[in-house]
Amino acid sequence: MDPQSALDLLDWKRRIFELYRVIRTTSDPAAAWRSWCESRDDMFRTHPQSPVPADERAAFPGVPYFPYDPAFRTTADIERVEPQSFEIPTSGNETMRFTRFARCHFELEGTAHALSAYWLDAYGGGLFLSFRDATSGTTTYGAGRYLLDTVKGSDLGSVEGALVLDFNFAYNPSCSYDPRWVCPLAPPENRLDVPIEAGERVPPTN
């Protein structure tokens, strides 16, 4: 990575961390979501580290989302599990090593669900929570979406020890826009059998 690209990436991360800081401190989740959508559209169109290919940014129509639905905002109780390391497939040829350390138990519309929480084994680490659901491959990205990725700033916080899971903030990995990005994919055990019609939809095509 050349020096300018490194500085651009630093700026991108600063902006994402600040965006999620505001989300965590805003009392109106729907208002925070609208700000999140607007900020992402701006960054995708103008930032040098945008996942959108450079020659497509000027005409980029904006990130497509489902309408905000409070039914998809919940909190998860954390069940600690025996740590186990996995090589998780990516969109490229290599894998990334994560450690599964917890199960997140939550309800959506009265139905119980669970997703595994992973910790990135690289320097510094970070919580990683991705998923696939019944919309994957149709109205949403087939390889799954991210909900939390704290090493990159995507952190919705917690309430009284329970992890906030707001699927309205679910987003596609960068590789959904351009294959030059290499992204970890959702592990098979993090498949939800219900449709999560919240968050980012399939990327637009020109």
Side-chain angles (χ1 to χ4, degrees):
M1 181 181 293
D2 63 85
Q4 186 57 54
S5 294
L7 292 173
D8 290 339
L9 180 57
L10 178 61
D11 179 70
W12 176 279
K13 288 191 172 186
R14 282 174 177 159
R15 293 179 65 175
I16 294 296
F17 271 87
E18 175 61 16
L19 182 58
Y20 277 86
R21 185 197 66 79
V22 172
I23 290 170
R24 291 192 298 273
T25 58
T26 300
S27 58
D28 183 348
W33 175 80
R34 288 191 293 271
S35 177
W36 178 74
C37 294
E38 292 169 1
S39 296
R40 294 186 78 223
D41 275 351
D42 176 65
M43 293 176 70
F44 276 42
R45 290 190 182 106
T46 65
H47 201 282
Q49 284 292 317
S50 168
V52 178
D55 60 351
E56 298 177 14
R57 290 172 193 163
F60 183 65
V63 180
Y65 301 99
F66 291 99
Y68 188 89
D69 187 343
F72 287 104
R73 182 179 176 87
T74 186
T75 57
D77 293 324
I78 306 303
E79 174 197 5
R80 293 180 176 84
V81 299
E82 186 68 24
Q84 185 175 0
S85 290
F86 293 90
E87 293 287 344
I88 291 183
T90 71
S91 57
N93 296 322
E94 64 269 37
T95 60
M96 291 187 186
R97 180 170 289 275
F98 289 83
T99 295
R100 182 179 61 196
F101 71 97
R103 289 282 283 171
C104 304
H105 297 273
F106 58 96
E107 288 189 1
L108 289 176
E109 299 182 319
T111 301
H113 302 280
L115 292 170
S116 290
Y118 290 80
W119 193 260
L120 178 64
D121 286 356
Y123 176 78
L127 171 64
F128 177 69
L129 184 60
S130 60
F131 69 96
R132 297 179 71 228
D133 66 276
T135 69
S136 299
T138 54
T139 54
T140 65
Y141 185 54
R145 292 179 286 169
Y146 296 174
L147 189 55
L148 303 174
D149 187 5
T150 63
V151 74
K152 295 182 179 178
S154 308
D155 177 10
L156 297 172
S158 59
V159 177
E160 297 181 352
L163 199 62
V164 175
L165 303 181
D166 190 335
F167 289 88
N168 293 284
F169 291 90
Y171 64 95
N172 296 337
S174 297
C175 57
S176 68
Y177 288 91
D178 188 338
R180 71 187 174 94
W181 300 93
V182 176
C183 309
L185 306 179
E189 66 180 321
N190 276 10
R191 167 82 188 204
L192 299 173
D193 294 330
V194 297
I196 305 297
E197 294 181 325
E200 188 173 351
R201 302 170 64 111
V202 288
T205 55
N206 294 333

